[in-house]
Amino acid sequence: QVSRIIDAETRVFVQNLKGIENLAFSDGTPFADNATREWIRQISAQGPGSGKSQAAPGADETRVEVDQTLDQATALIRENKLDEALSLFKANLSRAGSMRDKFLWKTGLLRVLVESKQTRIAAVYAWDILEIIDRYSLDDWDPQLSVEAMSLALTSLRLEEKDENETLKQGLIKRVSLLDPVQALTLV
């Protein structure tokens, strides 16, 4: 299973950075030797319709789990059980294995906070998510996830009664515009 995860993550990486296998270091040494380029060609051929997963199994599973937990949390919020809804995310966040999984759980938690109008707590998570995006250059490695998270953070910051973060809000719109102009249209 580990090799399938490595294959899937490498496939996603190579798809996001098309042509990386043909690049070389400054001294002319190729990033990938012939055997590695062949391996990349083989795993890239395992795209849609090949019967193999496009992304790492854990990555897709986590998104599904977050979505299912969001549904559960929404039902709990309707029953005025916000603390239980937040506890669902806290438990999953604490046992998340990778930074990506933790990030997905944090964005899910932020969505619950935004939907339940918990603006002060949501702002804390919005800032944390934005710091993670910057620290790991997420917009370079997973632009779609970055756009989703920045859009959610912007929504959170817009809910604040104070209008202190106007520069940050405009900066987020600009960043989203550069990554996904269609999504940016929904933000302006």
Side-chain angles (χ1 to χ4, degrees), residues 51-142:
K52 299 218 176 171
S53 171
Q54 267 291 80
D60 286 342
E61 289 171 15
T62 301
R63 275 191 182 262
V64 169
E65 286 178 42
V66 170
D67 288 343
Q68 290 171 342
T69 305
L70 277 168
D71 291 341
Q72 292 172 344
T74 301
L76 288 169
I77 291 168
R78 276 191 231 119
E79 298 172 11
N80 293 320
K81 297 179 180 178
L82 178 60
D83 55 337
E84 290 180 38
L86 296 176
S87 293
L88 292 173
F89 283 90
K90 181 182 175 198
N92 283 297
L93 183 57
S94 66
R95 65 176 166 253
S98 69
M99 272 309 294
R100 186 176 193 282
D101 287 353
K102 287 179 184 178
F103 185 80
L104 290 170
W105 284 110
K106 283 183 181 184
T107 57
L109 178 57
L110 177 57
R111 187 168 307 280
V112 169
L113 291 166
V114 166
E115 289 175 4
S116 61
K117 307 288 190 260
Q118 299 298 315
T119 56
R120 292 176 71 191
I121 301 169
V124 172
Y125 278 91
W127 281 96
D128 184 45
I129 285 169
L130 294 172
E131 287 175 9
I132 292 169
I133 290 170
D134 290 340
R135 184 180 321 128
Y136 295 103
S137 301
L138 185 63
D139 33 1
D140 291 332
W141 301 106
D142 194 338

Side-chain angles (χ1 to χ4, degrees), residues 1-15 39 43-44 46 52-62 97-98 100-101:
Q1 181 176 3
V2 172
S3 67
R4 287 187 319 147
I5 292 171
I6 291 170
D7 286 355
E9 288 295 331
T10 303
R11 184 172 40 255
V12 170
F13 179 78
V14 170
Q15 287 171 348
W39 172 66
I43 63 171
S44 293
Q46 298 171 355
K52 299 218 176 171
S53 171
Q54 267 291 80
D60 286 342
E61 289 171 15
T62 301
S98 69
R100 186 176 193 282
D101 287 353

